[in-house]
Amino acid sequence: MRAGLFNILIACCFFCSCASPNQNIVVVDHSSPSGTKVLYHVVAPGETLYAIAWRYNLNYKNLARVNGIGRNYLIYPGQKIRLSDAFIEPSVVKKPVLSRSQSKPATKKPAPYVHTKPAAKRLEKTSIKANKPPAVKKMSNSTGWLWPANGPVVDKFESNKGLHKGIDIGGKLGEPVNSASAGEVVYAGEGLRGYGKLIIIKHSDKYLSAYGHNKKILVGEGDNVTAGQKIALLGSTGTDKVKLHFEIRYEGRPIDPLSKLPKR
C-alpha cells in the first residue's frame, strides 16, 4: 500500500514539473530559411541558382564562386550548394607598400625631344590634327526603371533586416504586370515559398528584380524582355489578396524599390 502511494506521488511530481510555466520550450521555424544557420541547400527540381540566392539573400555570383559553378550558372537536382562562405564578399587584394629600402631606384628623366623637321611641316601637321572632330563619349545603355503595375502601393519596404523586402502594389485580378527594366528572365515558377507564381529578371551583373503572386506567367526562363513588356497577369497566388509583390536587389541585397522607380 505504501509502495503504491509512493509511486503515485512520484508520478504527480513528474507531471507537475512538465507543466511548469517556467519550463523553456524552444520552437524552431523551419519554413523560413536562416542564412546564418543553414550551411547547405540541396537543389530541388526546377530551381535555379538565382532562385536559391534570392531565397537566402545572397549574391548569385558569390554563390557560384564558392561552389565552383561556371558563368552559365547551371545546377542540377540533388546538387549540394554550400551557403556559408557565400555570405563573405571576395577579399580585395591590396598592392604591397614598399619601404624606402625596397623602393625602385630613381630613374633619370629623358631629355626633352627636339624637333628636327622644318617649321613649315610641323605647322601643317598641327593644323591637320586641330581640324579633327572631338571624340564623342559613349552614352550609357541603361533604360532606367519603370513601374511594374499601375495600382497604388499598399505595403512599403521595411529595410534589409525587415520581413518585407519589397513593395506591394494593389490592383485588379488579371491586370498586366510589366518588366520594370530590360533584362533576362532567370527564374519563372512557384518554387519559392511565400511568393506564389514568381518571376526573377536579371538586368545586369548587379541588379535583379522580382515579381510575385502572379495569376499567370507569360514569359519563360531565358527570355529577353524589354522595359515595360507585359510578363504576367496580376494575381493572388501565395497570398490572401490580389497584389503584386515587387523587389529590387543590388548584389544580392534588397533595396527600396521606391528609390529607383520614378515618382508618380
Side-chain angles (χ1 to χ4, degrees):
M1 182 68 180
R2 291 181 178 178
L5 182 60
F6 179 75
N7 291 334
I8 292 173
L9 291 174
I10 293 296
C12 290
C13 292
F14 173 76
F15 286 113
C16 290
S17 63
C18 291
S20 173
N22 295 326
Q23 186 73 16
N24 294 325
I25 301 175
V26 179
V27 179
V28 180
D29 181 11
H30 294 285
S31 62
S32 57
S34 174
T36 57
K37 295 181 181 179
V38 180
L39 301 179
Y40 293 92
H41 176 88
V42 179
V43 179
E47 281 188 318
T48 67
L49 187 74
Y50 297 94
I52 296 172
W54 195 278
R55 178 181 181 184
Y56 295 99
N57 297 328
L58 293 173
N59 185 327
Y60 69 92
K61 291 184 292 184
N62 288 351
L63 196 59
R65 175 179 52 81
V66 300
N67 286 279
I69 299 172
R71 292 295 298 271
N72 53 12
Y73 304 121
L74 292 178
I75 56 177
Y76 54 88
Q79 182 177 354
K80 197 173 183 181
I81 303 295
R82 188 167 77 254
L83 304 173
S84 56
D85 296 335
F87 290 93
I88 305 173
E89 295 291 336
S91 58
V92 179
V93 180
K94 296 182 178 181
K95 294 182 179 181
V97 179
L98 298 177
S99 62
R100 290 185 177 181
S101 59
Q102 294 175 322
S103 60
K104 296 181 180 180
T107 56
K108 294 182 179 179
K109 294 183 179 180
Y113 177 75
V114 179
H115 292 285
T116 56
K117 293 182 179 181
K121 291 186 177 181
R122 292 204 309 269
L123 291 173
E124 181 183 357
K125 186 176 181 180
T126 304
S127 61
I128 294 174
K129 185 176 181 180
N131 290 332
K132 288 184 179 180
V136 178
K137 295 182 179 179
K138 294 182 178 180
M139 300 299 292
S140 172
N141 198 27
S142 175
T143 57
W145 296 89
L146 302 175
W147 281 86
N150 294 326
V153 175
V154 296
D155 206 348
K156 293 185 178 181
F157 179 77
E158 289 184 359
S159 83
N160 195 24
K161 295 182 180 180
L163 297 176
H164 204 255
K165 298 180 176 65
I167 61 173
D168 288 344
I169 303 174
K172 295 180 180 180
L173 186 67
E175 286 184 339
V177 174
N178 306 316
S179 175
S181 185
E184 178 189 356
V185 178
V186 293
Y187 180 79
E190 299 182 73
L192 274 73
R193 182 179 298 179
Y195 285 94
K197 292 183 179 180
L198 174 70
I199 298 171
I200 299 177
I201 298 178
K202 175 185 175 183
H203 304 286
S204 67
D205 287 340
K206 297 181 181 293
Y207 281 101
L208 298 174
S209 65
Y211 312 74
H213 306 315
N214 301 293
K215 175 185 177 183
K216 185 178 181 181
I217 295 175
L218 304 178
V219 292
E221 292 174 9
D223 289 350
N224 291 317
V225 296
T226 58
Q229 179 178 333
K230 185 177 177 180
I231 58 175
L233 301 179
L234 203 67
S236 59
T237 56
T239 186
D240 58 350
K241 62 180 67 174
V242 176
K243 62 183 179 181
L244 171 67
H245 179 72
F246 177 64
E247 294 186 21
I248 297 178
R249 299 201 181 182
Y250 177 78
E251 293 188 338
R253 296 186 296 273
I255 64 174
D256 187 355
L258 295 179
S259 67
K260 293 294 180 182
L261 296 174
K263 293 183 179 181
R264 287 177 167 177

